[in-house]
Amino acid sequence: MRVLLTGAAGFIGGAVHSTLESRGHQVIALDALIPQAHGAQAGSAIDAGVHLVDVTDAERLAPLLDGVDVVCHQAAMVGAGVTPSDMPLFARHNDLGTAVLLAAMAESGNTRLVFASSMVVYGDGRYTCPVHGDQPAATRSLEALEARRFDVACGVCGRPMGWALIDEDARLLPRSSYAASKVAQEHYTRAWTRQLPGAAIGLRYHNVYGPLMPADTPYSGVAAMFRSAIARGEPPVVFEDGGQMRDFVHVSDVATANVLAVEKVAELPPDTYAAYNICSGRPVSIADVAAMVAAGTGDERLTPTVTSEFRSGDVRHIVASPQRAALDLGFTAAVSPEEGLRQFVDAPLRER
């Protein structure tokens, strides 16, 4: 198939590009090369044949859609998005970018889309009380965090709640401007599938890591932050008690999930929208993530430091169910966190 790939020069987009081509698909690659993601890498991306096009530029986007079977939309502004000053960047690159792309696809007759969503659309994860079962996640109070009571309390009895797997039917409750922009992308796309009609698949990535991940910047994930600390000869620093549960999925598995989704969406009937968790299915604690990355060095001096420090906006646990992606897309992650995170210590990172 002929696939238009946005964000093709990025960390995930580059992996998707290679995997699509390895499966015999023809890729038309484009990227806006925004400095927050690329910096000094921009020149090499252009040399590699990536079209320098911003998805908000409908005039330049339209010719690239000619003859395309599926659009795979990875372009986005990423980051924590925890301050109001971030909002215009997320709104421009994520909300407006997706809206312009969807309109251009409709104008040119393209009706098939795969796009990158995120676990952040859920806000908090799923929590269960040993007495009262599933309960909504209440915001952890500053008083509780300062007292080192990090677990989310049951709203009925006040007991600490444990985590449970969250599936794709959970409510979308964004807690940051980045998360709000990803929810907006999902809503715009769902509306597009009905109005056109078209078919779309949203992939809700969990914590993606692997080679060529951005180095120690506000736009990288915790795995890259741990990796960068080790590169400086410093032990990784773990917040809270390290018991926060997450799912870490290797970028090669994310690329495979995208190819499976591209091939799946081409077969779907019009007016179809589906979202999938893209995860390893092997939950790990943040303390264990730091330990796995550090273990790859063999240097005991780099044993992680658990500080009990906290960030009030952090989510305690968010762990995904991989079941729907396995059943519908045939996707099962091949790289375990134990294997991938230990190897990550030697992986090249993308410098800015």
Side-chain angles (χ1 to χ4, degrees), residues 49-87:
V50 176
H51 296 276
L52 182 56
V53 175
D54 191 317
V55 290
T56 62
D57 187 342
E59 185 175 351
R60 298 190 62 200
L61 183 62
L64 298 177
L65 286 163
D66 186 39
V68 164
D69 299 297
V70 178
V71 174
C72 186
H73 181 35
Q74 304 296 315
M77 175 76 180
V78 300
V82 295
T83 64
S85 61
D86 293 327
M87 288 182 176

Side-chain angles (χ1 to χ4, degrees), residues 245-297:
M245 296 300 295
R246 297 290 190 272
D247 190 298
F248 282 78
V249 58
H250 197 272
V251 68
S252 63
D253 284 322
V254 172
T256 297
N258 272 276
V259 175
L260 292 171
V262 163
E263 294 168 351
K264 178 75 173 181
V265 80
E267 304 170 353
L268 293 177
D271 194 8
T272 301
Y273 178 85
Y276 297 98
N277 289 324
I278 301 302
C279 57
S280 73
R282 302 172 177 91
V284 292
S285 71
I286 293 297
D288 284 344
V289 171
M292 290 174 195
V293 175
T297 69

Side-chain angles (χ1 to χ4, degrees), residues 115 117-125 166-176 179-188 190 202 204 206 273-277 318 324:
F115 72 100
S117 187
S118 170
M119 68 175 189
V120 298
V121 299
Y122 298 121
D124 284 290
I166 194 165
D167 66 23
E168 292 86 349
D169 294 328
R171 288 191 303 166
L172 307 186
L173 296 170
R175 290 176 49 143
S176 69
S181 74
K182 301 309 284 185
V183 171
Q185 285 183 284
E186 292 214 21
H187 288 329
Y188 276 123
R190 187 185 294 270
R204 294 173 181 167
H206 285 252
Y273 178 85
Y276 297 98
N277 289 324
I318 180 162
R324 189 171 299 180

Side-chain angles (χ1 to χ4, degrees), residues 167-334:
D167 66 23
E168 292 86 349
D169 294 328
R171 288 191 303 166
L172 307 186
L173 296 170
R175 290 176 49 143
S176 69
S177 51
Y178 171 61
S181 74
K182 301 309 284 185
V183 171
Q185 285 183 284
E186 292 214 21
H187 288 329
Y188 276 123
T189 303
R190 187 185 294 270
W192 174 86
T193 61
R194 292 169 177 165
Q195 293 171 345
L196 193 57
I201 292 175
L203 302 179
R204 294 173 181 167
Y205 302 155
H206 285 252
N207 295 272
V208 187
Y209 71 97
L212 300 181
M213 190 174 188
D216 194 0
T217 78
Y219 305 96
S220 62
V222 67
M225 302 295 279
F226 291 160
R227 165 73 168 73
S228 296
I230 287 170
R232 297 191 300 269
E234 302 169 0
V237 174
V238 178
F239 282 12
E240 300 188 14
D241 58 1
Q244 310 94 304
M245 296 300 295
R246 297 290 190 272
D247 190 298
F248 282 78
V249 58
H250 197 272
V251 68
S252 63
D253 284 322
V254 172
T256 297
N258 272 276
V259 175
L260 292 171
V262 163
E263 294 168 351
K264 178 75 173 181
V265 80
E267 304 170 353
L268 293 177
D271 194 8
T272 301
Y273 178 85
Y276 297 98
N277 289 324
I278 301 302
C279 57
S280 73
R282 302 172 177 91
V284 292
S285 71
I286 293 297
D288 284 344
V289 171
M292 290 174 195
V293 175
T297 69
D299 187 343
E300 294 184 357
R301 294 172 300 177
L302 298 178
T303 299
T305 301
V306 180
T307 65
S308 294
E309 295 178 8
F310 61 86
R311 295 173 294 198
S312 59
D314 282 356
V315 172
R316 177 61 174 171
H317 305 302
I318 180 162
V319 181
S321 169
Q323 183 175 11
R324 189 171 299 180
L327 290 174
D328 291 1
L329 299 180
F331 170 71
T332 301

Side-chain angles (χ1 to χ4, degrees), residues 41-52:
Q41 300 293 321
S44 60
I46 295 171
D47 292 342
V50 176
H51 296 276
L52 182 56

Side-chain angles (χ1 to χ4, degrees), residues 128-139:
T128 183
C129 172
V131 176
H132 298 101
D134 277 12
Q135 295 293 320
T139 301

